[in-house]
Amino acid sequence: QAGKDWKGPPVGLLFIDTSHTLEHTKLELETWSPKVNGVICGHDWNNWEKPADGVKPAVMKFLKQNPGKYKLQVNDRSLGLFILWPSDTSICHPMKLV
């Protein structure tokens, strides 16, 4: 619901860590992605209980629906962190350590 109601400026970093089901994760990605002007990431890439109904298949379907828009990075340790880096790096400023 928060994504549907968002009227603020573009989001620079979106972190998804919700119900972890295929349908809910797909909905989160579809709802928020037009409002993101940067990186999308999330947790529980590896859902060992129900691998066909989880975050990984939702992200993969999202990538197929948005070809060339994002580059995927995954950390398979623990339950897994995924990062969708925008392919067009001009839309987000490079990060620097301060």
Side-chain angles (χ1 to χ4, degrees):
Q1 189 62 41
K4 291 179 184 176
D5 295 340
W6 182 255
K7 302 285 189 260
V11 176
L13 172 67
L14 175 68
F15 189 87
I16 298 174
D17 190 19
T18 56
S19 74
H20 311 122
T21 65
L22 171 71
E23 290 305 317
H24 192 246
T25 305
K26 278 177 41 183
L27 181 61
E28 292 279 353
L29 288 165
E30 291 165 0
T31 302
W32 277 104
S33 63
K35 298 162 174 65
V36 176
N37 189 13
V39 176
I40 299 173
C41 56
H43 193 244
D44 297 312
W45 173 260
N46 298 317
N47 180 349
W48 293 292
E49 294 173 7
K50 297 180 182 179
D53 180 39
V55 173
K56 182 177 181 176
V59 171
M60 297 310 291
K61 286 183 182 196
F62 177 76
L63 288 171
K64 285 183 184 177
Q65 293 171 341
N66 296 277
K69 192 168 181 180
Y70 299 97
K71 296 176 185 174
L72 174 64
Q73 181 179 7
V74 176
N75 179 346
D76 280 327
R77 295 188 179 160
S78 180
L79 292 176
L81 171 75
F82 74 87
I83 304 171
L84 296 175
W85 297 97
S87 294
D88 180 1
T89 56
S90 69
I91 67 169
C92 61
H93 298 286
M95 296 171 53
K96 66 179 184 175
L97 297 174
V98 291

